[in-house]
Short mmCIF file of all heavy atoms in Angstrom, two decimals:
data_model
loop_
_atom_site.label_atom_id
_atom_site.label_comp_id
_atom_site.label_asym_id
_atom_site.label_seq_id
_atom_site.Cartn_x
_atom_site.Cartn_y
_atom_site.Cartn_z
N LEU A 29 0.50 0.40 -3.72
CA LEU A 29 -0.46 -0.52 -4.31
C LEU A 29 -0.78 -1.60 -3.29
O LEU A 29 0.11 -2.07 -2.58
CB LEU A 29 0.11 -1.20 -5.56
CG LEU A 29 0.40 -0.30 -6.76
CD1 LEU A 29 1.86 0.09 -6.74
CD2 LEU A 29 0.06 -1.01 -8.03
N LEU A 30 -2.05 -1.99 -3.24
CA LEU A 30 -2.49 -3.15 -2.46
C LEU A 30 -3.02 -4.16 -3.47
O LEU A 30 -3.92 -3.85 -4.26
CB LEU A 30 -3.59 -2.79 -1.48
CG LEU A 30 -3.22 -1.98 -0.25
CD1 LEU A 30 -4.46 -1.67 0.57
CD2 LEU A 30 -2.22 -2.73 0.59
N ILE A 31 -2.45 -5.35 -3.42
CA ILE A 31 -2.84 -6.42 -4.33
C ILE A 31 -3.46 -7.54 -3.51
O ILE A 31 -2.85 -8.02 -2.54
CB ILE A 31 -1.62 -6.96 -5.12
CG1 ILE A 31 -0.77 -5.83 -5.71
CG2 ILE A 31 -2.07 -7.96 -6.17
CD1 ILE A 31 -1.44 -5.00 -6.75
N SER A 32 -4.67 -7.96 -3.87
CA SER A 32 -5.33 -9.04 -3.16
C SER A 32 -4.66 -10.37 -3.49
O SER A 32 -3.89 -10.47 -4.44
CB SER A 32 -6.81 -9.10 -3.53
OG SER A 32 -6.95 -9.62 -4.84
N SER A 33 -5.00 -11.40 -2.72
CA SER A 33 -4.43 -12.73 -2.96
C SER A 33 -4.89 -13.29 -4.31
O SER A 33 -4.26 -14.20 -4.84
CB SER A 33 -4.79 -13.69 -1.82
OG SER A 33 -6.20 -13.80 -1.72
N MET A 34 -5.96 -12.74 -4.87
CA MET A 34 -6.45 -13.17 -6.18
C MET A 34 -5.76 -12.40 -7.32
O MET A 34 -6.04 -12.64 -8.48
CB MET A 34 -7.97 -12.96 -6.27
CG MET A 34 -8.74 -13.73 -5.21
SD MET A 34 -8.48 -15.51 -5.30
CE MET A 34 -9.50 -15.91 -6.68
N GLY A 35 -4.90 -11.44 -6.96
CA GLY A 35 -4.15 -10.69 -7.97
C GLY A 35 -4.78 -9.38 -8.39
O GLY A 35 -4.26 -8.70 -9.28
N SER A 36 -5.89 -8.99 -7.77
CA SER A 36 -6.55 -7.73 -8.12
C SER A 36 -5.91 -6.57 -7.38
O SER A 36 -5.62 -6.67 -6.20
CB SER A 36 -8.03 -7.79 -7.73
OG SER A 36 -8.68 -8.82 -8.40
N THR A 37 -5.73 -5.45 -8.09
CA THR A 37 -5.26 -4.23 -7.45
C THR A 37 -6.45 -3.55 -6.81
O THR A 37 -7.38 -3.13 -7.50
CB THR A 37 -4.59 -3.29 -8.47
OG1 THR A 37 -3.49 -3.97 -9.07
CG2 THR A 37 -4.10 -2.01 -7.82
N VAL A 38 -6.44 -3.45 -5.46
CA VAL A 38 -7.57 -2.87 -4.74
C VAL A 38 -7.28 -1.45 -4.26
O VAL A 38 -8.17 -0.75 -3.79
CB VAL A 38 -8.00 -3.76 -3.55
CG1 VAL A 38 -8.53 -5.10 -4.07
CG2 VAL A 38 -6.87 -3.97 -2.57
N PHE A 39 -6.02 -1.02 -4.39
CA PHE A 39 -5.62 0.34 -4.01
C PHE A 39 -4.40 0.69 -4.84
O PHE A 39 -3.45 -0.09 -4.94
CB PHE A 39 -5.29 0.39 -2.51
CG PHE A 39 -4.93 1.77 -2.01
CD1 PHE A 39 -5.91 2.64 -1.56
CD2 PHE A 39 -3.60 2.18 -1.99
CE1 PHE A 39 -5.58 3.90 -1.09
CE2 PHE A 39 -3.26 3.44 -1.53
CZ PHE A 39 -4.25 4.30 -1.07
N ASN A 40 -4.41 1.88 -5.44
CA ASN A 40 -3.26 2.35 -6.23
C ASN A 40 -3.28 3.87 -6.21
O ASN A 40 -4.02 4.49 -6.96
CB ASN A 40 -3.32 1.81 -7.66
CG ASN A 40 -2.12 2.23 -8.49
OD1 ASN A 40 -1.23 2.94 -8.04
ND2 ASN A 40 -2.09 1.77 -9.72
N GLU A 41 -2.48 4.46 -5.31
CA GLU A 41 -2.43 5.92 -5.20
C GLU A 41 -1.01 6.36 -4.87
O GLU A 41 -0.24 5.62 -4.27
CB GLU A 41 -3.36 6.42 -4.09
CG GLU A 41 -4.82 6.31 -4.40
CD GLU A 41 -5.71 6.95 -3.34
OE1 GLU A 41 -5.22 7.83 -2.60
OE2 GLU A 41 -6.88 6.56 -3.25
N THR A 42 -0.71 7.60 -5.22
CA THR A 42 0.53 8.23 -4.79
C THR A 42 0.20 9.06 -3.56
O THR A 42 -0.70 9.91 -3.61
CB THR A 42 1.14 9.11 -5.90
OG1 THR A 42 1.43 8.27 -7.02
CG2 THR A 42 2.41 9.79 -5.42
N ILE A 43 0.88 8.80 -2.47
CA ILE A 43 0.59 9.46 -1.20
C ILE A 43 1.88 9.96 -0.56
O ILE A 43 2.96 9.44 -0.82
CB ILE A 43 -0.18 8.54 -0.24
CG1 ILE A 43 0.53 7.21 -0.06
CG2 ILE A 43 -1.59 8.31 -0.71
CD1 ILE A 43 -0.17 6.25 0.88
N LYS A 44 1.75 10.95 0.28
CA LYS A 44 2.88 11.49 1.03
C LYS A 44 3.05 10.68 2.31
O LYS A 44 2.09 10.47 3.04
CB LYS A 44 2.68 12.96 1.36
CG LYS A 44 3.88 13.60 2.06
CD LYS A 44 3.73 15.08 2.21
CE LYS A 44 3.91 15.83 0.92
NZ LYS A 44 5.16 15.66 0.23
N ILE A 45 4.27 10.22 2.55
CA ILE A 45 4.60 9.43 3.74
C ILE A 45 5.76 10.11 4.44
O ILE A 45 6.68 10.60 3.80
CB ILE A 45 5.00 7.99 3.36
CG1 ILE A 45 3.91 7.31 2.55
CG2 ILE A 45 5.32 7.18 4.61
CD1 ILE A 45 4.29 5.95 2.04
N GLY A 46 5.71 10.13 5.77
CA GLY A 46 6.80 10.74 6.53
C GLY A 46 6.98 10.06 7.87
O GLY A 46 6.22 9.19 8.25
N PRO A 47 8.00 10.49 8.60
CA PRO A 47 8.28 9.87 9.89
C PRO A 47 7.25 10.23 10.96
O PRO A 47 6.96 9.40 11.82
CB PRO A 47 9.67 10.39 10.25
CG PRO A 47 9.86 11.63 9.45
CD PRO A 47 9.03 11.46 8.22
N PHE A 48 6.72 11.43 10.93
CA PHE A 48 5.79 11.85 11.97
C PHE A 48 4.35 11.83 11.51
O PHE A 48 3.43 11.79 12.31
CB PHE A 48 6.15 13.24 12.49
CG PHE A 48 7.46 13.25 13.23
CD1 PHE A 48 8.61 13.74 12.64
CD2 PHE A 48 7.54 12.73 14.52
CE1 PHE A 48 9.81 13.73 13.33
CE2 PHE A 48 8.73 12.72 15.22
CZ PHE A 48 9.87 13.22 14.61
N ASP A 49 4.14 11.90 10.22
CA ASP A 49 2.80 11.87 9.66
C ASP A 49 2.67 10.64 8.77
O ASP A 49 2.88 10.71 7.57
CB ASP A 49 2.51 13.15 8.86
CG ASP A 49 2.59 14.38 9.74
OD1 ASP A 49 1.98 14.35 10.83
OD2 ASP A 49 3.27 15.34 9.35
N SER A 50 2.35 9.52 9.40
CA SER A 50 2.25 8.28 8.64
C SER A 50 1.06 8.37 7.68
O SER A 50 0.07 9.04 7.96
CB SER A 50 2.10 7.09 9.57
OG SER A 50 0.92 7.20 10.34
N ALA A 51 1.20 7.70 6.56
CA ALA A 51 0.08 7.60 5.62
C ALA A 51 -0.87 6.55 6.15
O ALA A 51 -0.44 5.55 6.75
CB ALA A 51 0.60 7.22 4.24
N GLN A 52 -2.15 6.76 5.96
CA GLN A 52 -3.15 5.81 6.44
C GLN A 52 -4.02 5.37 5.28
O GLN A 52 -4.50 6.20 4.50
CB GLN A 52 -4.00 6.45 7.53
CG GLN A 52 -3.18 6.81 8.76
CD GLN A 52 -4.04 7.36 9.88
OE1 GLN A 52 -5.06 7.97 9.63
NE2 GLN A 52 -3.61 7.11 11.10
N ILE A 53 -4.21 4.06 5.19
CA ILE A 53 -5.05 3.49 4.13
C ILE A 53 -6.24 2.81 4.81
O ILE A 53 -6.06 1.95 5.67
CB ILE A 53 -4.25 2.48 3.28
CG1 ILE A 53 -3.08 3.20 2.60
CG2 ILE A 53 -5.16 1.81 2.26
CD1 ILE A 53 -2.11 2.28 1.90
N ASP A 54 -7.43 3.22 4.42
CA ASP A 54 -8.65 2.65 4.98
C ASP A 54 -8.92 1.30 4.32
O ASP A 54 -9.22 1.22 3.14
CB ASP A 54 -9.83 3.60 4.75
CG ASP A 54 -11.13 3.09 5.32
OD1 ASP A 54 -11.13 2.04 6.01
OD2 ASP A 54 -12.16 3.73 5.07
N MET A 55 -8.78 0.24 5.11
CA MET A 55 -9.03 -1.11 4.61
C MET A 55 -10.30 -1.71 5.19
O MET A 55 -10.58 -2.89 5.02
CB MET A 55 -7.84 -2.02 4.93
CG MET A 55 -6.56 -1.64 4.20
SD MET A 55 -5.23 -2.83 4.48
CE MET A 55 -5.85 -4.26 3.61
N SER A 56 -11.09 -0.88 5.87
CA SER A 56 -12.27 -1.39 6.58
C SER A 56 -13.28 -2.07 5.66
O SER A 56 -13.95 -3.02 6.08
CB SER A 56 -12.94 -0.27 7.37
OG SER A 56 -13.38 0.75 6.49
N SER A 57 -13.39 -1.65 4.43
CA SER A 57 -14.37 -2.24 3.52
C SER A 57 -13.79 -3.39 2.69
O SER A 57 -14.51 -4.03 1.93
CB SER A 57 -14.93 -1.18 2.58
OG SER A 57 -13.90 -0.68 1.75
N MET A 58 -12.50 -3.66 2.85
CA MET A 58 -11.86 -4.74 2.07
C MET A 58 -12.10 -6.08 2.74
O MET A 58 -12.24 -6.17 3.96
CB MET A 58 -10.37 -4.46 1.92
CG MET A 58 -10.07 -3.23 1.12
SD MET A 58 -8.30 -2.93 0.97
CE MET A 58 -8.30 -1.26 0.34
N ASN A 59 -12.13 -7.13 1.93
CA ASN A 59 -12.34 -8.48 2.43
C ASN A 59 -11.15 -8.95 3.26
O ASN A 59 -10.01 -8.53 3.03
CB ASN A 59 -12.55 -9.45 1.27
CG ASN A 59 -13.83 -9.19 0.51
OD1 ASN A 59 -14.81 -8.73 1.08
ND2 ASN A 59 -13.83 -9.48 -0.78
N ALA A 60 -11.43 -9.83 4.20
CA ALA A 60 -10.36 -10.45 4.98
C ALA A 60 -9.50 -11.30 4.05
O ALA A 60 -9.99 -11.85 3.06
CB ALA A 60 -10.95 -11.31 6.09
N GLY A 61 -8.21 -11.37 4.36
CA GLY A 61 -7.30 -12.18 3.56
C GLY A 61 -5.90 -11.61 3.58
O GLY A 61 -5.59 -10.68 4.32
N VAL A 62 -5.06 -12.18 2.73
CA VAL A 62 -3.66 -11.75 2.62
C VAL A 62 -3.54 -10.79 1.44
O VAL A 62 -4.06 -11.05 0.35
CB VAL A 62 -2.73 -12.96 2.44
CG1 VAL A 62 -1.29 -12.51 2.24
CG2 VAL A 62 -2.83 -13.89 3.65
N TYR A 63 -2.84 -9.69 1.66
CA TYR A 63 -2.60 -8.68 0.63
C TYR A 63 -1.10 -8.44 0.51
O TYR A 63 -0.37 -8.55 1.50
CB TYR A 63 -3.29 -7.36 0.99
CG TYR A 63 -4.79 -7.42 0.93
CD1 TYR A 63 -5.53 -7.94 1.99
CD2 TYR A 63 -5.48 -6.94 -0.17
CE1 TYR A 63 -6.92 -8.00 1.94
CE2 TYR A 63 -6.86 -6.98 -0.23
CZ TYR A 63 -7.57 -7.52 0.83
OH TYR A 63 -8.94 -7.57 0.77
N THR A 64 -0.67 -8.08 -0.69
CA THR A 64 0.69 -7.63 -0.91
C THR A 64 0.66 -6.12 -1.00
O THR A 64 -0.13 -5.56 -1.75
CB THR A 64 1.28 -8.22 -2.21
OG1 THR A 64 1.26 -9.65 -2.11
CG2 THR A 64 2.71 -7.75 -2.42
N VAL A 65 1.51 -5.47 -0.20
CA VAL A 65 1.65 -4.02 -0.24
C VAL A 65 2.92 -3.73 -1.01
O VAL A 65 4.00 -4.21 -0.65
CB VAL A 65 1.75 -3.42 1.18
CG1 VAL A 65 1.85 -1.90 1.11
CG2 VAL A 65 0.58 -3.85 2.03
N ILE A 66 2.81 -2.96 -2.08
CA ILE A 66 3.98 -2.56 -2.88
C ILE A 66 4.13 -1.06 -2.72
O ILE A 66 3.19 -0.30 -2.97
CB ILE A 66 3.81 -2.93 -4.36
CG1 ILE A 66 3.60 -4.45 -4.51
CG2 ILE A 66 5.01 -2.46 -5.17
CD1 ILE A 66 3.23 -4.90 -5.90
N ILE A 67 5.31 -0.63 -2.27
CA ILE A 67 5.58 0.79 -2.06
C ILE A 67 6.76 1.18 -2.93
O ILE A 67 7.85 0.59 -2.81
CB ILE A 67 5.88 1.07 -0.57
CG1 ILE A 67 4.70 0.59 0.29
CG2 ILE A 67 6.14 2.55 -0.34
CD1 ILE A 67 5.11 -0.05 1.55
N LYS A 68 6.55 2.17 -3.80
CA LYS A 68 7.60 2.64 -4.70
C LYS A 68 7.94 4.07 -4.33
O LYS A 68 7.08 4.95 -4.37
CB LYS A 68 7.12 2.58 -6.15
CG LYS A 68 6.76 1.19 -6.61
CD LYS A 68 6.21 1.21 -8.03
CE LYS A 68 5.77 -0.17 -8.48
NZ LYS A 68 5.27 -0.16 -9.85
N PHE A 69 9.21 4.31 -3.93
CA PHE A 69 9.68 5.66 -3.64
C PHE A 69 11.20 5.69 -3.69
O PHE A 69 11.86 4.68 -3.50
CB PHE A 69 9.17 6.16 -2.28
CG PHE A 69 9.82 5.52 -1.08
CD1 PHE A 69 10.75 6.21 -0.32
CD2 PHE A 69 9.51 4.23 -0.70
CE1 PHE A 69 11.36 5.63 0.77
CE2 PHE A 69 10.10 3.64 0.40
CZ PHE A 69 11.03 4.34 1.14
N ASP A 70 11.74 6.86 -3.97
CA ASP A 70 13.20 7.05 -4.07
C ASP A 70 13.87 6.01 -4.97
O ASP A 70 14.96 5.52 -4.67
CB ASP A 70 13.85 7.02 -2.68
CG ASP A 70 13.57 8.28 -1.88
OD1 ASP A 70 13.12 9.28 -2.47
OD2 ASP A 70 13.83 8.27 -0.67
N GLY A 71 13.22 5.62 -6.05
CA GLY A 71 13.79 4.65 -6.98
C GLY A 71 13.80 3.22 -6.46
O GLY A 71 14.45 2.36 -7.04
N LYS A 72 13.09 2.95 -5.39
CA LYS A 72 13.04 1.61 -4.81
C LYS A 72 11.63 1.06 -4.89
O LYS A 72 10.67 1.82 -4.97
CB LYS A 72 13.46 1.65 -3.33
CG LYS A 72 14.82 2.20 -3.11
CD LYS A 72 15.06 2.41 -1.63
CE LYS A 72 16.31 3.25 -1.47
NZ LYS A 72 16.34 3.97 -0.24
N GLU A 73 11.54 -0.26 -4.84
CA GLU A 73 10.24 -0.92 -4.75
C GLU A 73 10.31 -1.92 -3.61
O GLU A 73 11.12 -2.85 -3.64
CB GLU A 73 9.90 -1.63 -6.06
CG GLU A 73 8.56 -2.33 -6.02
CD GLU A 73 8.16 -2.94 -7.34
OE1 GLU A 73 7.94 -2.18 -8.30
OE2 GLU A 73 8.07 -4.17 -7.40
N LEU A 74 9.48 -1.72 -2.61
CA LEU A 74 9.46 -2.59 -1.44
C LEU A 74 8.14 -3.34 -1.40
O LEU A 74 7.09 -2.77 -1.71
CB LEU A 74 9.64 -1.77 -0.16
CG LEU A 74 10.88 -0.89 -0.13
CD1 LEU A 74 10.83 0.04 1.07
CD2 LEU A 74 12.13 -1.73 -0.08
N LYS A 75 8.18 -4.63 -1.01
CA LYS A 75 6.98 -5.45 -0.95
C LYS A 75 6.84 -6.03 0.45
O LYS A 75 7.81 -6.50 1.05
CB LYS A 75 7.04 -6.58 -1.96
CG LYS A 75 6.99 -6.12 -3.40
CD LYS A 75 6.98 -7.30 -4.34
CE LYS A 75 6.95 -6.81 -5.78
NZ LYS A 75 6.89 -7.93 -6.73
N TYR A 76 5.61 -6.02 0.93
CA TYR A 76 5.28 -6.58 2.24
C TYR A 76 3.97 -7.36 2.11
O TYR A 76 3.09 -6.97 1.35
CB TYR A 76 5.07 -5.47 3.29
CG TYR A 76 6.28 -4.62 3.50
CD1 TYR A 76 6.51 -3.48 2.73
CD2 TYR A 76 7.21 -4.94 4.48
CE1 TYR A 76 7.63 -2.70 2.92
CE2 TYR A 76 8.33 -4.16 4.68
CZ TYR A 76 8.53 -3.04 3.88
OH TYR A 76 9.64 -2.27 4.08
#
């Protein structure tokens, strides 16, 4: 999930992530600013 600084969810998908094939999210059309990235996998939730 990508959450904007205003609290809107601008991306919410389940994607495959790996060590050699990184997942890529196109943010080119998103507004400049600070976003929170929430990643849920293996029973964990990580925020950046």
Side-chain angles (χ1 to χ4, degrees):
L29 295 96
L30 287 178
I31 312 295
S32 73
S33 60
M34 301 300 283
S36 300
T37 300
V38 295
F39 183 88
N40 182 358
E41 289 186 23
T42 299
I43 52 180
K44 184 172 286 303
I45 304 175
F48 293 103
D49 299 312
S50 62
Q52 297 183 330
I53 298 171
D54 181 6
M55 294 186 69
S56 61
S57 64
M58 295 180 193
N59 293 329
V62 177
Y63 291 81
T64 301
V65 182
I66 302 172
I67 303 140
K68 299 177 183 181
F69 73 105
D70 286 346
K72 302 171 192 156
E73 180 175 295
L74 305 171
K75 292 183 181 182
Y76 299 89

